[in-house]
């Protein structure tokens, strides 16, 4: 069975105790001269929660300044990687709670919501999950039992500390049909329903949602609506849909599609979570160029990594306008939107610097590489005044 992982994760071995110490000693107010007075969580308090994703080093206290910024600016956190199956449950009989515990301690200390990312996905899940003792494909019964144990153990441990779980991630193709993953092939279509039921049983209070990318595309959005409607009709406890917001300057081409996708969730009577929000300014390279060495091929570098030395004012301006347009829509739909979570704290941390091509310089978030708020940060906050 082919199982691939293209996302990366940088690990470190900092002690969990460090983060709690850091978390508890964080300043509650802005330090003069180095902190913006405004905060995202306060500005949007009447509309929705504002969250960010933290990587392992941040969670374990390696970047105390970043954690201090997070505590001032955000009221929700997500683990970028450390709660994914391969990290939290790397072997059949081994769970690694170090970083997830540190994250939930940090969030509890600061009264933040935790969005558990993610229980069931076809990526970043170890190969053994889908195999039996002889290395053959697992049976439906075996995989269901594994799924139940994983979900039950993880969700039960964080009852009351993780308020929302992304139960299933990326189960759909762009045409709205079910993606052929080992979960689907081995268990069958009811794997999604089962995952929600196990999660609900383990924590009846938690909000549980389905999460996917490209849901602004009408066919995929309709697929998600069909999927979730079907689950609701069968009494499956789904509280919302997470729309991964990995956007660029040209996509969604028409922001009305973004608005429509949120409205579609509202029409189901559910909450929408903008998960994984970032706005890339880089061109999307074709398959062939992705492996090129841009330090050698300067012509290609100019095309594909054009802002390595800084973002031109004109591009920054266009990006600011796009952030504003996106947030106008979010505010218009605030009755449906429960949370907006950025995929990382600052530009230097975001995955778009290394995907789909390694070693580029992107500017997809609201804080720069030194954790300073960018002009778009102030533009967005101004919308709430
Ligand atoms: C997907 C996943 C995330 C993360 C991003 C890329 O959207 O849901 O966990 O891996 O891709 O960083």
């Amino acid at each position: 069975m082919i199982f691939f992982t293209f996302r990366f994760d940088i690990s470190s071995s900092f002690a969990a105790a460090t983060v709690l110490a850091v978390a508890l000693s964080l300043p509650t107010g802005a330090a003069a001269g180095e902190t913006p007075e405004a905060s995202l969580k306060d500005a949007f308090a009447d509309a929705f929660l504002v969250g960010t994703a933290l990587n392992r080093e941040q969670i374990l206290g390696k970047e105390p300044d970043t954690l201090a910024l997070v505590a001032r600016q955000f009221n929700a956190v997500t683990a970028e990687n450390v709660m994914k199956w391969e990290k939290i449950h790397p072997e059949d009989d081994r769970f690694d709670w170090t970083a997830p515990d540190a994250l939930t301690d940090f969030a509890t200390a600061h009264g933040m919501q935790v969005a558990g990312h993610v229980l069931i996905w076809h990526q970043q899940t170890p190969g053994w999950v889908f195999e039996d003792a002889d290395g053959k494909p697992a049976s439906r019964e075996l995989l269901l039992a594994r799924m139940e144990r994983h979900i039950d153990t993880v969700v039960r441990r964080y009852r009351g500390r993780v308020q929302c779980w992304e139960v299933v991630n990326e189960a759909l193709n762009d045409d709205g049909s079910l993606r052929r993953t080992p979960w689907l092939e081995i268990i069958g279509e009811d794997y999604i329903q089962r995952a929600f039921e196990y999660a609900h049983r383990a924590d009846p209070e938690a909000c549980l949602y389905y999460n996917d990318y490209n849901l602004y595309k009408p066919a995929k959005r309709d697929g998600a609506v069909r999927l979730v409607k079907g689950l609701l009709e069968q009494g499956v406890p789904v509280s919302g849909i997470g729309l991964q917001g990995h956007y660029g300057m040209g996509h969604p081409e028409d922001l009305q599609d973004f608005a429509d996708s949120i409205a579609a969730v509202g029409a189901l009577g559910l909450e929408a979570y903008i998960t994984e929000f970032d706005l890339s300014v880089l061109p999307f390279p074709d398959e062939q160029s992705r492996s090129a060495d841009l330090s050698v091929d300067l012509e290609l570098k100019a095309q594909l990594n054009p802002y390595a030395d800084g973002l031109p004012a004109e591009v920054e301006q266009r990006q600011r306008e796009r952030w504003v347009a996106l947030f106008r829509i979010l505010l218009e739909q605030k009755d449906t939107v429960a949370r907006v979570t950025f995929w990382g704290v600052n530009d230097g941390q975001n995955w778009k610097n290394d995907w789909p091509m390694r070693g580029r310089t992107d500017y997809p978030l609201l804080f720069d590489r030194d954790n300073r708020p960018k002009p778009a940060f102030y533009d967005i906050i101004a919308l709430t005044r």
Side-chain angles (χ1 to χ4, degrees):
M1 184 168 308
I2 300 172
F3 189 76
F4 65 96
T5 299
F6 66 80
R7 273 93 179 191
F8 68 97
D9 159 44
I10 312 158
S11 301
S12 84
S13 54
F14 275 77
T18 320
V19 77
L20 191 56
V22 172
L24 296 175
S25 63
L26 286 175
T28 48
E34 58 182 43
T35 308
E37 284 173 28
S39 88
L40 294 166
K41 67 177 179 186
D42 292 341
F44 292 98
D46 292 337
F48 36 71
L49 298 174
V50 187
T52 188
L54 297 179
N55 66 28
R56 183 177 169 88
E57 275 116 335
Q58 292 165 338
I59 290 169
L60 295 183
K62 197 182 175 186
E63 296 175 22
D65 292 350
T66 304
L67 278 191
L69 175 76
V70 170
R72 289 195 301 271
Q73 289 292 336
F74 299 96
N75 46 20
V77 280
T78 300
E80 202 175 330
N81 284 295
V82 303
M83 285 185 167
K84 290 175 180 169
W85 192 315
E86 69 175 10
K87 300 293 180 196
I88 204 169
H89 188 180
E91 292 164 48
D92 205 356
D93 280 320
R94 187 163 70 86
F95 289 82
D96 182 353
W97 307 117
T98 313
D101 279 2
L103 179 73
T104 52
D105 287 346
F106 171 72
T108 305
H110 293 283
M112 297 169 151
Q113 183 184 87
V114 178
H117 175 75
V118 52
L119 295 172
I120 298 299
W121 191 22
H122 59 287
Q123 290 197 43
Q124 294 184 255
T125 303
W128 62 261
V129 173
F130 305 109
E131 290 169 3
D132 68 14
D134 300 324
K136 304 233 173 61
S139 63
R140 169 180 157 91
E141 290 65 36
L142 176 61
L143 191 53
L144 271 176
R146 280 212 176 111
M147 180 201 257
E148 180 171 11
R149 174 164 175 251
H150 175 79
I151 292 178
D152 195 67
T153 309
V154 174
V155 173
R156 216 170 273 281
R157 180 180 182 88
Y158 293 112
R159 262 164 101 142
R161 286 193 286 160
V162 169
Q163 292 75 17
C164 289
W165 282 100
E166 294 180 1
V167 180
V168 176
N169 198 27
E170 303 182 353
L172 295 170
N173 296 310
D174 270 11
D175 68 1
S177 62
L178 280 182
R179 186 197 284 268
R180 291 188 62 152
T181 67
W183 296 111
L184 179 67
E185 287 183 349
I186 296 173
I187 297 178
E189 291 192 8
D190 63 333
Y191 85 90
I192 300 174
Q193 168 178 350
R194 294 299 184 115
F196 276 89
E197 285 169 355
Y198 298 150
H200 182 64
R201 205 183 307 149
D203 184 356
E205 304 294 316
C207 67
L208 305 175
Y209 57 95
Y210 173 72
N211 193 51
D212 213 329
Y213 62 90
N214 279 354
L215 291 182
Y216 67 85
K217 295 189 175 176
K220 194 164 187 177
R221 179 192 69 212
D222 293 348
V225 167
R226 263 198 314 276
L227 173 72
V228 169
K229 220 172 163 189
L231 291 170
L232 291 172
E233 279 163 10
Q234 290 171 73
V236 180
V238 184
S239 30
I241 298 185
L243 302 102
Q244 293 182 18
H246 296 301
Y247 301 141
M249 299 302 286
H251 68 277
E253 198 177 333
D254 184 351
L255 289 187
Q256 188 57 45
D257 287 334
F258 173 64
D260 290 349
S261 62
I262 299 171
V265 180
L268 288 172
L270 299 180
E271 295 187 318
Y273 311 88
I274 308 302
T275 59
E276 313 188 20
F277 212 11
D278 49 30
L279 186 50
S280 171
V281 292
L282 295 180
F284 203 77
D286 58 34
E287 292 267 353
Q288 214 193 336
S289 322
R290 288 181 200 175
S291 49
D293 182 349
L294 295 182
S295 63
V296 185
D297 192 336
L298 296 184
E299 206 175 305
L300 204 59
K301 178 179 173 215
Q303 254 177 54
L304 296 180
N305 191 20
Y307 313 128
D309 300 324
L311 194 61
E314 172 267 325
V315 183
E316 180 167 63
Q317 182 56 34
R318 275 194 290 123
Q319 191 198 28
R320 284 172 67 174
E321 285 162 14
R322 205 160 158 79
W323 273 125
V324 166
L326 286 162
F327 269 86
R328 268 193 215 289
I329 291 170
L330 290 169
L331 284 170
E332 276 161 22
Q333 307 229 28
K334 65 179 180 179
D335 291 346
T336 300
V337 178
R339 175 176 17 90
V340 174
T341 293
F342 291 90
W343 203 236
V345 182
N346 66 53
D347 284 345
Q349 178 196 344
N350 184 271
W351 71 304
K352 298 306 296 229
N353 294 296
D354 287 293
W355 191 89
M357 189 170 187
R358 285 197 166 262
R360 298 197 297 170
T361 305
D362 207 341
Y363 301 83
L365 295 168
L366 295 183
F367 294 90
D368 71 13
R369 286 170 164 72
D370 297 318
N371 278 338
R372 284 183 309 234
K374 301 180 352 187
F377 167 94
Y378 297 103
D379 295 345
I380 287 167
I381 285 185
L383 291 175
T384 65
R385 296 207 173 108

